[in-house]
Amino acid sequence: NDIIFTGQSSNNYAVNITNSAGISVINNSIQANGIKYLHGIIISADDFAIEDNTVIVSSTENACGINIYGPSKGIVKNNCLEIKAKKAVYSISTNPSTGPVQVRYINNNINSEAYFVVGIYDDSESILNNTIYLTGNYGIGIVFLSKGANVTGNNITLNVTNNDSDYEVQDDNVEV
């Protein structure tokens, strides 16, 4: 499937799946363009699979390729993400404030660009064999917020300048 989305409101979602189970988002091309806060895929689901997708997101301010809210359990595998925004990008992000999140990230290719850019921001169980290329002023390949998980075989490249700028970006768990 080809999904092309243009959003002009303050919060925009190309694909929004909530409170579901047994969901598969497989072999799609998702392109989202818009303003403010723009998400390619946002999901809260038990036993989900997000696999073999191309997700392209471009925002005038902030963007997220895949955003997973708790409670959720699933896999994010073999996806290609190209996420760009002027201020902040969280390429793949989890939010456990609404419930536990257990996700495995395997063999994803992430290419993102913003003033403040994060590859994978996670509170989950395993991050394996992902390729992460980030361009921006400040960049973090993986922000990992849990204990005892498996982070193995990832290839992370940061092309960052660390120059002062007009933007202020805040994150409660990451010091910029």
Side-chain angles (χ1 to χ4, degrees):
N1 295 318
D2 290 334
I3 300 167
I4 299 173
F5 175 83
T6 301
Q8 298 300 318
S9 65
S10 61
N11 284 304
N12 299 284
Y13 313 99
V15 176
N16 186 352
I17 301 166
T18 58
N19 301 321
S20 299
I23 297 293
S24 296
V25 180
I26 298 176
N27 201 27
N28 296 286
S29 174
I30 300 166
Q31 183 173 345
N33 297 297
I35 63 171
K36 305 276 182 181
Y37 295 93
L38 183 62
H39 303 265
I41 300 170
I42 187 166
I43 188 167
S44 172
D46 192 29
D47 199 25
F48 74 84
I50 299 175
E51 298 181 18
D52 301 310
N53 298 287
T54 298
V55 180
I56 300 170
V57 179
S58 179
S59 174
T60 59
E61 291 188 27
N62 304 294
C64 183
I66 300 172
N67 196 351
I68 303 163
Y69 278 82
S72 287
K73 184 176 182 178
I75 188 167
V76 176
K77 181 178 176 183
N78 297 331
N79 297 287
C80 247
L81 284 79
E82 292 181 28
I83 316 301
K84 293 184 180 182
K86 194 167 188 172
K87 291 184 180 179
V89 162
Y90 289 82
S91 309
I92 297 176
S93 181
T94 59
N95 184 346
S97 67
T98 54
V101 177
Q102 295 177 309
V103 181
R104 292 173 292 141
Y105 304 95
I106 303 170
N107 295 326
N108 297 289
N109 187 342
I110 299 169
N111 187 344
S112 296
E113 183 177 340
Y115 171 77
F116 175 74
V117 60
V118 175
I120 299 175
Y121 186 100
D122 183 65
D123 183 21
S124 210
E125 58 185 58
S126 49
I127 302 174
L128 309 171
N129 303 318
N130 298 282
T131 300
I132 301 170
Y133 184 86
L134 306 176
T135 302
N137 196 55
Y138 297 101
I140 303 171
I142 298 173
V143 176
F144 202 72
L145 305 171
S146 61
K147 296 178 183 176
N150 187 5
V151 180
T152 307
N154 298 287
N155 182 356
I156 302 169
T157 303
L158 302 177
N159 181 19
V160 295
T161 59
N162 291 321
N163 291 326
D164 289 328
S165 180
D166 296 335
Y167 296 117
E168 182 179 325
V169 178
Q170 285 186 295
D171 183 303
D172 292 339
N173 294 302
V174 178
E175 190 172 309
V176 183

